[in-house]
Amino acid sequence: MTPGAMAGVLLQVVLLIAVAPYVVGVMRQVRARLEGRAGAGIGQPWRDLRKQLAKEAISPEGSSWVFTAAPVVLLASTLVIAAVGPFISTASPLDRVADLFAVVALLLLGTVALALAGLDTGTAFGGMGASREITVAALAEPTILLVGFALSARVDSSNLAAIVDRIQDNPAQVLSPASVLAAVALAVVVVAEAGRLPVDNPSTHLELTMIHEAMVLEYSGRDLATIELAAALRLTVLLGLWANLFLPWGVATSASPSALGIGAAVFVGKVAILAVALATAEVFMAKLRLFRVPELLAGSFLFGVLAVSSSFFLA
């Protein structure tokens, strides 16, 4: 591992951690402006994290080590994805282990850890949120696997860097039926995995409609800050993966300082545009009733099946 490559990995992880709360802040600010409110500013998530980190973490009576370990597992699994994924450059020495199916497993690991923590508290809302979260994950993860098959069929590899490099070399593939169908399917999954509207409402205060928030009601202080940072990082990672898999231009192919700088700037720009677009769309939609969410995810699964069929038919 050369010093330049090590610097690239470090830059990528630091950039994602620094940008993630601002992505949430941008989305909140866009929604506030479109709804006629002033908003708290895009830096408010960082201020909230600083305030929470200064407070003591309190565990509910009767909870076990599962409750305490869940925030760490959630953040650690997301950081691994941030380190190995081709967000800034495909020349990273860790790209060889950036397998799409491994990324799916890491996402599911964080989801299961948080769901177990919700069950560990023994509260009604924690159990309800955990049940709903696992239901959504069970319906969303197969779609990611199908998208992986569709994207890797022409590359003969599920390596993320290889997929990005292949699309950069053959830009016409972006408009192929398989890529378009896979993009639509993965977009729905990103919304579901990140807990955004219409699947989940991260700003809701109605307990009966909560999914993600129901599992973290018992957290406070440093543990809550860890979960909030992990959730913001998870959203940024998912948006970045979608952007680089289907719009890979600007991703560096070398570890030179200039290439990494351009890759970092382009990545921030693409994620910002996607965040603004997602926040704008959320203003004009409402949360789906729970029994309608499987229908939405089943639709994304169908798009994934069609993407795989198109990929093998045109191969």
Side-chain angles (χ1 to χ4, degrees):
M1 183 181 294
T2 64
M6 293 176 60
V9 174
L10 182 60
L11 172 64
Q12 181 167 288
V13 174
V14 172
L15 178 67
L16 283 167
I17 294 175
V19 166
Y22 286 113
V23 172
V24 176
V26 166
M27 296 185 67
R28 291 177 181 174
Q29 191 67 18
V30 169
R31 290 193 61 179
R33 290 296 186 180
L34 292 177
E35 292 171 356
R37 298 181 285 111
I42 63 174
Q44 186 60 42
W46 265 121
R47 292 191 287 271
D48 292 339
L49 288 174
R50 186 173 65 249
K51 179 176 64 176
Q52 292 163 1
L53 286 171
K55 295 182 178 181
E56 180 184 1
I58 301 176
S59 300
E61 184 178 355
S63 61
S64 67
W65 61 269
V66 173
F67 181 84
T68 306
V72 179
V73 174
L74 178 63
L75 180 59
S77 60
T78 311
L79 283 174
V80 173
I81 301 174
V84 303
F87 297 104
I88 295 177
S89 171
T90 59
S92 168
L94 300 180
D95 281 339
R96 68 188 65 180
V97 297
D99 187 87
L100 184 59
F101 302 108
V103 169
V104 174
L106 288 169
L107 288 172
L108 186 59
L109 175 62
T111 299
V112 171
L114 198 58
L116 290 176
L119 293 172
D120 190 54
T121 61
T123 63
F125 288 131
M128 178 186 65
S131 174
R132 293 176 175 180
E133 183 76 1
I134 293 299
T135 300
V136 171
L139 295 171
E141 302 299 334
T143 302
I144 303 180
L145 296 177
L146 286 176
V147 170
F149 278 122
L151 294 177
S152 61
R154 296 182 183 180
V155 186
D156 294 327
S157 173
S158 58
N159 182 270
L160 291 172
I163 295 173
V164 172
D165 282 334
R166 179 63 180 270
I167 297 177
Q168 282 185 322
D169 295 336
N170 299 276
Q173 287 189 4
V174 173
L175 298 178
S176 66
S179 294
V180 173
L181 291 169
V184 174
L186 190 59
V188 176
V189 170
V190 166
V191 170
E193 287 285 344
R196 309 300 304 188
L197 289 170
V199 176
D200 190 15
N201 186 356
S203 60
T204 184
H205 297 289
L206 301 175
E207 288 84 354
L208 293 179
T209 66
M210 290 180 178
I211 297 181
H212 176 270
E213 297 300 320
M215 297 183 292
V216 303
L217 283 176
E218 302 297 324
Y219 282 102
S220 62
R222 294 183 295 274
D223 287 343
L224 181 59
T226 303
I227 290 177
E228 293 297 333
L229 177 59
L233 187 60
R234 189 183 180 100
L235 172 63
T236 306
V237 163
L238 289 169
L239 292 177
L241 283 175
W242 191 95
N244 285 355
L245 286 174
F246 300 105
L247 301 171
W249 298 283
V251 180
T253 56
S254 67
S256 65
S258 59
L260 292 176
I262 294 173
V266 172
F267 172 77
V268 172
K270 287 192 288 189
V271 170
I273 292 173
L274 289 177
V276 171
L278 181 56
T280 302
E282 287 182 345
V283 174
F284 300 99
M285 65 177 64
K287 184 181 181 300
L288 289 175
R289 299 177 69 178
L290 187 62
F291 70 87
R292 297 296 301 275
V293 172
E295 297 178 7
L296 175 66
L297 296 176
S300 69
F301 182 81
L302 177 60
F303 275 104
V305 172
L306 293 175
V308 172
S309 302
S310 300
S311 178
F312 283 103
F313 178 76
L314 297 175

